[in-house]
Amino acid sequence: MKPKTLLGAATAVALALPAYADGTLNLYTWSDSISPELIEKFEAQTGITVNTDGFNSNEDALTKLQAGSSGYDIVTPSQHFVKIMIDEGLLEDIGAKDLAAYAQVDDKWKGQWWDPENAYSIPLAYGTAGFAVNRDVYEGPVDSWAVYFTPPADLKGKVASLSYPDEVVGAAQLFLGVPFCSEDKAEMKKVYDLLMAQKPDVAAYSSDNIENRLGTAEVGAHFWWDGNVLKTRNDGANIVYAEPKEGLVGWLDSFVVPKGAANVEGAKQFIDFMSEEENATIQYNYYAHSSPVKLDLTKAKYTPENAPELFPTVPVEFSKACSPAAQDLVTKVWTDLLK
């Protein structure tokens, strides 16, 4: 329960705001990705009740929106899925370029191919997908995807993957020199053969509970994201994020508003709020992924010295929105792999 003084302040603010501020805001974001402190702060400032629901894959978020009437006001997909959602007419044109949040965005993230007119999205966070190893299990080098896809003796049967193909297939393509979104069946057969050869050494295909699976050495290597590795390492796990010479898979997640959302104005308000320098810094320190909006560097927690996971020195290639033909090949590779 909120203190009386806080309720009083929230009510006073709410009375000064448009009617939408009295409503609710339903978020569908990557699991545990939004700072609870900021949710409480936003609710106190606006009187809007924020409900959060989590997903663990872009595919889950897309499926929910494709089903229609999702009930969500904000979703946070990665760049290639933003493009897919725009192309399928699943998003509201929120005039992102006119939002206060847009002025906070680093210029390098404006006008990108997934939203060239900056109409639909405001970036939330970016980073890389790669793999981490538990040093209690494996002490060797982690400078190549070969360690993950063709595991050495110490990692035999102790590798774990994600439950969906998106970034895993991309990593395999980086290792093999196959371009993202290849429509060449022979090239994708190489990807399939690599993953099938790895399969006997994969203990789990799962996107849940990775911190425990890897942190407790249940497995020795796990496909994962940069910031999650950082947070788990800071919690005491003896793990390290690999920097494969073939490169890492890049991602950038953005705030978008589903078509037909009930509280579009509240969603814009939340996006602006999250992009304010002070709040973006709180979010950065909580989420432990790189920020595409301005931070208060005097309060930012992570630096190249204490968070090398966020500052890779190897090439980073961002996932793309593939043609239907290319996406069908990715789906077929993964479906056949998991049979």
Side-chain angles (χ1 to χ4, degrees):
M1 178 181 290
K2 296 173 183 174
K4 276 187 175 180
T5 52
L6 190 56
L7 280 173
T11 303
V13 172
L15 289 173
L17 293 171
Y20 61 77
D22 293 329
T24 60
L25 194 64
N26 297 317
L27 310 184
Y28 190 43
T29 65
W30 288 93
S31 295
D32 302 318
S33 62
I34 305 297
S35 163
E37 175 185 348
L38 292 177
I39 296 289
E40 291 184 9
K41 183 178 178 182
F42 180 77
E43 289 180 325
Q45 286 188 3
T46 65
I48 297 175
T49 298
V50 178
N51 302 311
T52 60
D53 195 3
F55 61 81
N56 291 316
S57 75
N58 282 301
E59 287 87 345
D60 288 346
L62 177 62
T63 299
K64 190 82 78 173
L65 266 57
Q66 287 173 328
S69 302
S70 67
Y72 298 114
D73 301 299
I74 288 179
V75 183
T76 58
S78 303
Q79 73 285 348
H80 46 324
F81 278 74
V82 170
K83 172 65 173 169
I84 293 169
M85 290 174 182
I86 292 172
D87 290 347
E88 294 190 12
L90 299 174
L91 302 182
E92 289 281 347
D93 181 343
I94 57 172
K97 196 171 186 176
D98 298 325
L99 296 180
Y102 184 74
Q104 300 294 103
V105 178
D106 189 313
D107 286 344
K108 72 180 179 182
W109 298 118
K110 295 178 178 175
Q112 290 285 343
W113 56 267
W114 55 86
D115 186 9
E117 301 301 322
N118 301 292
Y120 298 90
S121 63
I122 291 290
L124 163 65
Y126 70 94
T128 61
F131 72 98
V133 299
N134 187 310
R135 285 307 195 189
D136 294 333
V137 178
Y138 173 72
E139 297 180 345
V142 287
D143 58 353
S144 171
W145 279 107
V147 176
Y148 181 75
F149 287 119
T150 60
D154 289 347
L155 292 175
K156 290 288 185 186
K158 298 177 181 176
V159 171
S161 186
L162 300 181
S163 61
Y164 55 87
D166 186 10
E167 290 150 327
V168 178
V169 167
Q173 290 171 318
L174 287 176
F175 178 52
L176 295 170
V178 171
F180 286 1
C181 295
S182 173
E183 297 181 5
D184 186 322
K185 292 182 180 179
E187 287 185 330
M188 293 306 290
K189 177 67 163 52
K190 293 179 183 176
V191 172
Y192 172 75
D193 288 345
L194 177 69
L195 296 175
M196 276 300 292
Q198 181 203 30
K199 188 173 181 179
D201 291 317
V202 177
Y205 291 92
S206 173
S207 302
D208 300 323
N209 201 31
I210 297 174
E211 61 271 25
N212 288 328
R213 192 177 300 114
L214 180 63
T216 63
E218 178 182 332
V219 298
H222 212 307
F223 201 100
W224 216 7
W225 297 278
D226 52 349
N228 300 79
V229 176
L230 168 62
K231 291 173 73 172
T232 305
R233 179 172 62 79
N234 283 343
D235 287 340
N238 189 19
I239 62 175
V240 63
Y241 191 55
E243 292 220 23
K245 59 190 176 188
E246 300 89 356
L248 292 162
V249 181
W251 56 267
L252 181 141
D253 298 335
S254 293
F255 292 114
V256 298
V257 178
K259 198 80 169 180
N263 195 353
V264 175
E265 293 306 317
K268 292 180 183 178
Q269 195 173 358
F270 185 81
I271 294 168
D272 281 342
F273 169 86
M274 290 293 293
S275 302
E276 292 174 8
E277 187 171 305
E278 177 181 330
N279 296 334
T281 306
I282 294 171
Q283 172 65 16
Y284 174 72
N285 290 342
Y286 169 79
Y287 196 28
H289 288 295
S290 298
S291 175
V293 298
K294 292 177 185 174
L295 298 178
D296 180 348
L297 296 180
T298 66
K299 297 179 180 176
K301 186 175 176 181
Y302 302 114
T303 67
E305 290 72 31
N306 65 21
E309 294 90 344
L310 305 190
F311 302 90
T313 59
V314 297
V316 175
E317 183 164 349
F318 280 69
S319 298
K320 302 172 181 175
C322 300
S323 68
Q327 190 57 49
D328 285 348
L329 287 175
V330 171
T331 301
K332 181 169 176 50
V333 164
W334 198 254
T335 302
D336 289 350
L337 174 70
L338 297 189
K339 279 182 180 176

